[in-house]
Short mmCIF file of all heavy atoms in Angstrom, two decimals:
data_model
loop_
_atom_site.label_atom_id
_atom_site.label_comp_id
_atom_site.label_asym_id
_atom_site.label_seq_id
_atom_site.Cartn_x
_atom_site.Cartn_y
_atom_site.Cartn_z
N GLU V 44 -17.09 94.68 62.25
CA GLU V 44 -16.92 95.92 61.50
C GLU V 44 -15.78 96.72 62.13
O GLU V 44 -15.24 96.34 63.17
CB GLU V 44 -18.23 96.71 61.57
CG GLU V 44 -19.38 95.97 60.92
CD GLU V 44 -20.63 96.82 60.89
OE1 GLU V 44 -20.77 97.61 59.96
OE2 GLU V 44 -21.45 96.71 61.81
N SER V 45 -15.45 97.87 61.52
CA SER V 45 -14.37 98.64 62.11
C SER V 45 -14.79 99.09 63.50
O SER V 45 -15.95 99.43 63.74
CB SER V 45 -13.99 99.83 61.23
OG SER V 45 -15.13 100.50 60.78
N SER V 158 3.50 94.35 41.90
CA SER V 158 2.10 94.75 41.94
C SER V 158 1.52 94.42 43.31
O SER V 158 2.13 93.68 44.09
CB SER V 158 1.32 94.01 40.86
OG SER V 158 1.22 92.65 41.20
N MET V 161 1.17 90.72 44.00
CA MET V 161 2.49 90.11 44.19
C MET V 161 3.04 90.42 45.58
O MET V 161 3.60 89.57 46.25
CB MET V 161 3.45 90.63 43.14
CG MET V 161 3.06 90.22 41.75
SD MET V 161 4.07 88.85 41.20
CE MET V 161 5.21 89.74 40.17
N ASP V 188 -8.30 92.99 44.55
CA ASP V 188 -9.43 92.72 43.67
C ASP V 188 -9.90 91.28 43.86
O ASP V 188 -9.14 90.42 44.28
CB ASP V 188 -9.00 92.93 42.22
CG ASP V 188 -8.95 94.40 41.89
OD1 ASP V 188 -9.90 95.11 42.24
OD2 ASP V 188 -7.96 94.83 41.28
N THR V 190 -10.48 88.81 41.87
CA THR V 190 -9.80 87.69 41.21
C THR V 190 -8.46 87.39 41.91
O THR V 190 -8.07 86.23 42.02
CB THR V 190 -9.53 87.96 39.71
OG1 THR V 190 -8.71 89.12 39.59
CG2 THR V 190 -10.82 88.16 38.94
N GLN V 194 -7.18 84.04 44.34
CA GLN V 194 -5.87 83.38 44.28
C GLN V 194 -5.26 83.24 45.68
O GLN V 194 -4.74 82.19 46.04
CB GLN V 194 -4.89 84.18 43.42
CG GLN V 194 -5.22 84.24 41.94
CD GLN V 194 -4.27 85.18 41.18
OE1 GLN V 194 -3.33 85.73 41.75
NE2 GLN V 194 -4.52 85.36 39.90
N GLY V 218 -18.78 87.24 53.07
CA GLY V 218 -18.72 86.39 51.89
C GLY V 218 -17.47 85.54 51.91
O GLY V 218 -17.52 84.32 51.75
N ASP V 242 -21.37 76.56 59.11
CA ASP V 242 -22.67 76.18 58.55
C ASP V 242 -23.82 76.57 59.48
O ASP V 242 -24.83 77.10 59.05
CB ASP V 242 -22.72 74.67 58.29
CG ASP V 242 -21.94 74.28 57.05
OD1 ASP V 242 -21.70 75.17 56.21
OD2 ASP V 242 -21.55 73.11 56.92
N TYR V 245 -24.34 80.51 59.64
CA TYR V 245 -24.92 81.14 58.45
C TYR V 245 -26.34 80.64 58.18
O TYR V 245 -27.18 81.38 57.70
CB TYR V 245 -24.05 80.89 57.21
CG TYR V 245 -22.89 81.84 57.08
CD1 TYR V 245 -21.82 81.78 57.96
CD2 TYR V 245 -22.87 82.81 56.08
CE1 TYR V 245 -20.76 82.65 57.85
CE2 TYR V 245 -21.80 83.69 55.96
CZ TYR V 245 -20.75 83.60 56.84
OH TYR V 245 -19.70 84.46 56.73
N ALA V 258 -28.48 90.03 56.52
CA ALA V 258 -29.63 90.49 55.73
C ALA V 258 -29.30 91.75 54.94
O ALA V 258 -29.93 92.04 53.93
CB ALA V 258 -30.82 90.75 56.64
N PRO V 261 -26.16 92.76 49.84
CA PRO V 261 -26.68 92.36 48.54
C PRO V 261 -25.92 91.10 48.11
O PRO V 261 -24.71 91.03 48.28
CB PRO V 261 -26.34 93.54 47.62
CG PRO V 261 -25.39 94.40 48.36
CD PRO V 261 -25.30 93.94 49.77
N VAL V 262 -26.63 90.09 47.65
CA VAL V 262 -25.96 88.84 47.32
C VAL V 262 -26.03 88.60 45.82
O VAL V 262 -27.10 88.67 45.22
CB VAL V 262 -26.60 87.66 48.08
CG1 VAL V 262 -25.99 86.34 47.64
CG2 VAL V 262 -26.40 87.85 49.58
N GLY V 264 -26.48 86.97 42.46
CA GLY V 264 -27.31 85.84 42.07
C GLY V 264 -28.73 85.96 42.60
O GLY V 264 -29.66 85.47 42.00
N ASP V 265 -28.90 86.64 43.76
CA ASP V 265 -30.25 86.92 44.24
C ASP V 265 -30.83 88.00 43.37
O ASP V 265 -30.26 89.07 43.25
CB ASP V 265 -30.23 87.49 45.67
CG ASP V 265 -30.19 86.41 46.71
OD1 ASP V 265 -30.01 85.25 46.31
OD2 ASP V 265 -30.32 86.73 47.90
N ALA V 267 -32.54 90.70 43.47
CA ALA V 267 -33.08 91.52 44.54
C ALA V 267 -34.08 92.57 44.05
O ALA V 267 -34.77 93.17 44.82
CB ALA V 267 -31.94 92.22 45.27
N ARG V 268 -34.11 92.77 42.72
CA ARG V 268 -35.03 93.79 42.22
C ARG V 268 -36.46 93.36 42.49
O ARG V 268 -36.75 92.20 42.64
CB ARG V 268 -34.80 94.03 40.73
CG ARG V 268 -33.38 94.41 40.42
CD ARG V 268 -33.22 94.78 38.98
NE ARG V 268 -33.76 96.10 38.73
CZ ARG V 268 -33.11 97.22 38.98
NH1 ARG V 268 -31.92 97.18 39.52
NH2 ARG V 268 -33.64 98.38 38.72
N GLY V 269 -37.35 94.25 42.52
CA GLY V 269 -38.71 93.89 42.86
C GLY V 269 -39.27 94.82 43.90
O GLY V 269 -40.17 94.49 44.65
N GLY V 270 -38.71 96.01 43.98
CA GLY V 270 -39.26 97.04 44.84
C GLY V 270 -40.34 97.78 44.08
O GLY V 270 -40.95 97.25 43.16
N GLY V 272 -42.18 99.94 41.52
CA GLY V 272 -41.92 100.14 40.11
C GLY V 272 -40.82 99.19 39.69
O GLY V 272 -40.80 98.04 40.06
N ARG V 273 -39.84 99.72 38.92
CA ARG V 273 -38.77 98.84 38.48
C ARG V 273 -37.55 98.97 39.39
O ARG V 273 -36.48 98.45 39.11
CB ARG V 273 -38.38 99.20 37.05
CG ARG V 273 -38.03 100.66 36.94
CD ARG V 273 -37.41 101.01 35.61
NE ARG V 273 -36.86 102.34 35.68
CZ ARG V 273 -35.67 102.59 36.22
NH1 ARG V 273 -34.95 101.62 36.71
NH2 ARG V 273 -35.22 103.82 36.28
N PRO V 275 -35.03 98.55 42.69
CA PRO V 275 -34.75 97.43 43.58
C PRO V 275 -35.40 97.63 44.94
O PRO V 275 -35.59 98.76 45.40
CB PRO V 275 -33.22 97.44 43.70
CG PRO V 275 -32.77 98.76 43.22
CD PRO V 275 -33.82 99.28 42.29
N ALA V 276 -35.73 96.52 45.58
CA ALA V 276 -36.28 96.57 46.94
C ALA V 276 -35.20 97.06 47.88
O ALA V 276 -34.01 96.88 47.64
CB ALA V 276 -36.74 95.17 47.35
N LEU V 278 -32.64 97.15 50.86
CA LEU V 278 -31.92 96.15 51.64
C LEU V 278 -32.30 96.36 53.10
O LEU V 278 -32.61 97.48 53.52
CB LEU V 278 -30.41 96.39 51.48
CG LEU V 278 -29.84 96.16 50.08
CD1 LEU V 278 -28.46 96.77 49.99
CD2 LEU V 278 -29.78 94.67 49.79
N VAL V 280 -31.59 97.13 56.82
CA VAL V 280 -30.50 97.89 57.41
C VAL V 280 -30.49 97.73 58.92
O VAL V 280 -31.52 97.46 59.54
CB VAL V 280 -30.56 99.40 57.09
CG1 VAL V 280 -30.45 99.65 55.61
CG2 VAL V 280 -31.82 100.04 57.65
N ILE V 281 -29.30 97.88 59.49
CA ILE V 281 -29.18 98.01 60.94
C ILE V 281 -29.14 99.51 61.20
O ILE V 281 -28.21 100.18 60.75
CB ILE V 281 -27.89 97.35 61.46
CG1 ILE V 281 -27.85 95.88 61.04
CG2 ILE V 281 -27.78 97.50 62.95
CD1 ILE V 281 -26.54 95.20 61.35
N ARG V 300 -29.27 99.64 69.17
CA ARG V 300 -29.59 99.47 67.74
C ARG V 300 -30.48 98.26 67.50
O ARG V 300 -30.83 97.97 66.36
CB ARG V 300 -28.30 99.28 66.93
CG ARG V 300 -27.32 100.41 67.03
CD ARG V 300 -26.03 100.06 66.30
NE ARG V 300 -26.16 100.17 64.84
CZ ARG V 300 -25.21 99.76 63.99
NH1 ARG V 300 -24.11 99.17 64.43
NH2 ARG V 300 -25.38 99.92 62.70
N GLU V 339 -34.30 80.64 62.17
CA GLU V 339 -34.47 81.30 60.88
C GLU V 339 -33.73 80.45 59.87
O GLU V 339 -32.51 80.35 59.94
CB GLU V 339 -33.88 82.70 60.93
CG GLU V 339 -33.96 83.45 59.63
CD GLU V 339 -33.17 84.75 59.67
OE1 GLU V 339 -31.94 84.72 59.66
OE2 GLU V 339 -33.81 85.81 59.71
N MET R 1 -34.90 90.44 52.65
CA MET R 1 -35.68 89.68 53.62
C MET R 1 -37.15 90.06 53.56
O MET R 1 -38.03 89.23 53.61
CB MET R 1 -35.21 89.96 55.03
CG MET R 1 -33.99 89.20 55.43
SD MET R 1 -33.57 89.68 57.09
CE MET R 1 -34.58 88.56 58.01
N PRO R 4 -41.00 93.42 49.19
CA PRO R 4 -42.41 93.32 48.85
C PRO R 4 -42.57 92.53 47.55
O PRO R 4 -41.67 92.52 46.71
CB PRO R 4 -42.83 94.79 48.65
CG PRO R 4 -41.56 95.55 48.42
CD PRO R 4 -40.46 94.77 49.04
N ARG R 6 -43.52 91.46 43.89
CA ARG R 6 -43.59 92.23 42.64
C ARG R 6 -45.03 92.31 42.18
O ARG R 6 -45.73 91.30 42.15
CB ARG R 6 -42.76 91.54 41.57
CG ARG R 6 -41.33 91.98 41.54
CD ARG R 6 -40.63 91.30 40.39
NE ARG R 6 -40.74 92.11 39.18
CZ ARG R 6 -39.68 92.68 38.61
NH1 ARG R 6 -38.50 92.54 39.12
NH2 ARG R 6 -39.83 93.40 37.54
N ASP R 10 -45.04 96.01 37.58
CA ASP R 10 -43.60 96.23 37.57
C ASP R 10 -43.00 95.70 36.29
O ASP R 10 -42.63 94.54 36.19
CB ASP R 10 -42.93 95.49 38.74
CG ASP R 10 -43.26 96.15 40.05
OD1 ASP R 10 -43.80 97.26 40.02
OD2 ASP R 10 -42.96 95.55 41.08
N GLY R 50 -32.93 107.86 33.28
CA GLY R 50 -33.68 107.18 34.32
C GLY R 50 -33.13 105.84 34.75
O GLY R 50 -33.64 105.24 35.69
N GLU R 58 -11.78 95.72 37.80
CA GLU R 58 -10.85 95.69 38.92
C GLU R 58 -9.98 96.94 38.93
O GLU R 58 -9.99 97.72 37.98
CB GLU R 58 -10.01 94.43 38.83
CG GLU R 58 -10.88 93.21 38.92
CD GLU R 58 -10.07 91.94 38.94
OE1 GLU R 58 -9.65 91.49 37.87
OE2 GLU R 58 -9.86 91.40 40.03
N SER R 59 -9.19 97.11 40.00
CA SER R 59 -8.41 98.33 40.10
C SER R 59 -7.48 98.44 38.89
O SER R 59 -6.91 97.44 38.45
CB SER R 59 -7.62 98.39 41.40
OG SER R 59 -7.15 97.14 41.76
N ASP R 196 -18.52 100.84 56.33
CA ASP R 196 -18.70 99.57 57.01
C ASP R 196 -19.91 98.82 56.46
O ASP R 196 -20.85 99.44 55.98
CB ASP R 196 -18.89 99.81 58.50
CG ASP R 196 -17.65 99.42 59.27
OD1 ASP R 196 -17.05 98.39 58.90
OD2 ASP R 196 -17.30 100.12 60.22
N VAL R 197 -19.87 97.50 56.59
CA VAL R 197 -20.92 96.66 56.00
C VAL R 197 -22.32 97.13 56.39
O VAL R 197 -23.20 97.25 55.54
CB VAL R 197 -20.74 95.19 56.46
CG1 VAL R 197 -21.66 94.28 55.68
CG2 VAL R 197 -19.30 94.76 56.30
N SER R 198 -22.53 97.40 57.68
CA SER R 198 -23.91 97.71 58.10
C SER R 198 -24.33 99.10 57.63
O SER R 198 -25.50 99.44 57.65
CB SER R 198 -24.04 97.60 59.62
OG SER R 198 -23.47 98.70 60.28
N GLN R 202 -27.43 101.17 54.09
CA GLN R 202 -28.14 102.45 54.31
C GLN R 202 -27.93 103.38 53.11
O GLN R 202 -28.86 104.01 52.63
CB GLN R 202 -27.63 103.15 55.58
CG GLN R 202 -27.92 102.39 56.87
CD GLN R 202 -27.38 103.12 58.11
OE1 GLN R 202 -26.90 104.24 58.02
NE2 GLN R 202 -27.46 102.48 59.26
N ASN R 205 -29.65 102.10 49.88
CA ASN R 205 -31.10 102.37 49.93
C ASN R 205 -31.39 103.84 49.66
O ASN R 205 -32.36 104.18 48.98
CB ASN R 205 -31.67 101.98 51.30
CG ASN R 205 -31.76 100.48 51.48
OD1 ASN R 205 -31.57 99.72 50.55
ND2 ASN R 205 -32.07 100.04 52.70
N ARG R 212 -35.76 107.11 42.68
CA ARG R 212 -37.20 106.91 42.52
C ARG R 212 -37.92 108.25 42.64
O ARG R 212 -38.81 108.57 41.86
CB ARG R 212 -37.67 105.96 43.63
CG ARG R 212 -38.94 105.23 43.38
CD ARG R 212 -39.08 104.10 44.38
NE ARG R 212 -39.03 104.57 45.76
CZ ARG R 212 -38.48 103.88 46.76
NH1 ARG R 212 -37.94 102.71 46.56
NH2 ARG R 212 -38.48 104.38 47.98
N ALA R 226 -21.82 92.47 43.73
CA ALA R 226 -23.11 92.21 44.36
C ALA R 226 -23.88 93.52 44.52
O ALA R 226 -25.08 93.58 44.24
CB ALA R 226 -22.91 91.53 45.71
N GLN R 229 -25.00 94.68 41.04
CA GLN R 229 -26.15 93.92 40.57
C GLN R 229 -27.43 94.39 41.25
O GLN R 229 -28.49 94.47 40.63
CB GLN R 229 -25.94 92.43 40.84
CG GLN R 229 -27.11 91.61 40.35
CD GLN R 229 -27.24 90.29 41.06
OE1 GLN R 229 -27.10 89.25 40.49
NE2 GLN R 229 -27.49 90.36 42.35
N HIS R 230 -27.31 94.72 42.54
CA HIS R 230 -28.49 95.13 43.29
C HIS R 230 -29.11 96.42 42.73
O HIS R 230 -30.32 96.52 42.61
CB HIS R 230 -28.14 95.31 44.77
CG HIS R 230 -29.29 95.80 45.59
ND1 HIS R 230 -30.35 94.99 45.93
CD2 HIS R 230 -29.57 97.02 46.10
CE1 HIS R 230 -31.22 95.69 46.64
NE2 HIS R 230 -30.77 96.93 46.75
N VAL R 231 -28.26 97.40 42.38
CA VAL R 231 -28.82 98.70 42.01
C VAL R 231 -28.98 98.91 40.50
O VAL R 231 -29.67 99.84 40.09
CB VAL R 231 -27.99 99.88 42.56
CG1 VAL R 231 -27.96 99.85 44.09
CG2 VAL R 231 -26.58 99.89 42.00
N SER R 232 -28.33 98.09 39.67
CA SER R 232 -28.21 98.45 38.26
C SER R 232 -29.27 97.81 37.36
O SER R 232 -29.62 96.65 37.52
CB SER R 232 -26.83 98.06 37.73
OG SER R 232 -25.82 98.68 38.50
N ASP R 233 -29.74 98.59 36.38
CA ASP R 233 -30.59 98.05 35.32
C ASP R 233 -29.72 97.35 34.28
O ASP R 233 -30.07 96.31 33.76
CB ASP R 233 -31.35 99.19 34.63
CG ASP R 233 -32.24 99.93 35.59
OD1 ASP R 233 -33.17 99.31 36.10
OD2 ASP R 233 -31.97 101.12 35.84
N PRO R 269 -17.12 86.10 46.48
CA PRO R 269 -17.57 85.16 47.50
C PRO R 269 -19.02 85.44 47.90
O PRO R 269 -19.45 86.58 47.93
CB PRO R 269 -16.64 85.42 48.69
CG PRO R 269 -15.76 86.55 48.31
CD PRO R 269 -16.21 87.11 47.00
N VAL R 270 -19.75 84.39 48.16
CA VAL R 270 -21.16 84.50 48.51
C VAL R 270 -21.33 84.05 49.96
O VAL R 270 -20.75 83.04 50.35
CB VAL R 270 -22.00 83.60 47.56
CG1 VAL R 270 -23.46 83.63 47.95
CG2 VAL R 270 -21.83 84.04 46.12
N PRO R 271 -22.09 84.77 50.77
CA PRO R 271 -22.22 84.39 52.18
C PRO R 271 -23.11 83.17 52.39
O PRO R 271 -24.14 83.25 53.03
CB PRO R 271 -22.81 85.65 52.84
CG PRO R 271 -23.50 86.38 51.75
CD PRO R 271 -22.76 86.05 50.48
N ASP R 272 -22.71 82.05 51.82
CA ASP R 272 -23.49 80.82 51.92
C ASP R 272 -22.50 79.65 51.90
O ASP R 272 -22.04 79.23 50.83
CB ASP R 272 -24.45 80.76 50.73
CG ASP R 272 -25.30 79.50 50.73
OD1 ASP R 272 -25.03 78.58 51.55
OD2 ASP R 272 -26.21 79.40 49.90
N PRO R 273 -22.13 79.12 53.08
CA PRO R 273 -21.04 78.13 53.14
C PRO R 273 -21.24 76.91 52.24
O PRO R 273 -20.32 76.56 51.51
CB PRO R 273 -20.98 77.75 54.63
CG PRO R 273 -21.57 78.93 55.33
CD PRO R 273 -22.61 79.49 54.42
N ARG R 277 -18.68 75.87 49.11
CA ARG R 277 -17.89 74.64 49.05
C ARG R 277 -17.98 73.94 47.70
O ARG R 277 -17.02 73.34 47.24
CB ARG R 277 -18.30 73.67 50.15
CG ARG R 277 -17.52 73.90 51.45
CD ARG R 277 -17.73 72.74 52.41
NE ARG R 277 -19.10 72.68 52.86
CZ ARG R 277 -19.55 73.34 53.94
NH1 ARG R 277 -18.73 74.08 54.65
NH2 ARG R 277 -20.80 73.25 54.30
N VAL R 283 -10.04 80.56 38.64
CA VAL R 283 -8.95 81.36 39.18
C VAL R 283 -8.07 81.80 38.01
O VAL R 283 -7.49 80.98 37.31
CB VAL R 283 -8.14 80.58 40.24
CG1 VAL R 283 -6.95 81.40 40.71
CG2 VAL R 283 -9.03 80.24 41.43
N LEU R 284 -8.00 83.11 37.79
CA LEU R 284 -7.19 83.64 36.70
C LEU R 284 -5.74 83.59 37.11
O LEU R 284 -5.40 83.86 38.25
CB LEU R 284 -7.58 85.09 36.41
CG LEU R 284 -8.97 85.32 35.86
CD1 LEU R 284 -9.22 86.81 35.71
CD2 LEU R 284 -9.15 84.61 34.54
N GLY R 286 -1.86 84.97 36.94
CA GLY R 286 -1.11 86.18 36.64
C GLY R 286 -1.81 87.47 37.01
O GLY R 286 -2.90 87.47 37.58
N ASP R 287 -1.15 88.56 36.69
CA ASP R 287 -1.64 89.89 37.01
C ASP R 287 -2.14 90.59 35.76
O ASP R 287 -1.87 90.16 34.65
CB ASP R 287 -0.52 90.72 37.64
CG ASP R 287 -0.18 90.21 39.04
OD1 ASP R 287 -1.12 89.98 39.82
OD2 ASP R 287 1.01 90.03 39.33
#
Side-chain angles (χ1 to χ4, degrees):
Chain V
E44 298 185 85
S45 45
S158 70
M161 295 258 259
D188 283 314
T190 60
Q194 293 174 3
D242 284 339
Y245 277 70
V262 175
D265 274 9
R268 303 186 76 82
R273 55 170 192 80
L278 294 165
V280 298
I281 303 173
R300 301 175 77 188
E339 178 189 72
Chain R
M1 279 179 86
R6 271 183 90 113
D10 289 349
E58 299 184 279
S59 37
D196 254 321
V197 190
S198 76
Q202 295 179 6
N205 287 351
R212 202 166 57 214
Q229 181 204 245
H230 177 73
V231 299
S232 303
D233 299 296
V270 177
D272 179 351
R277 271 193 294 271
V283 176
L284 294 177
D287 290 313

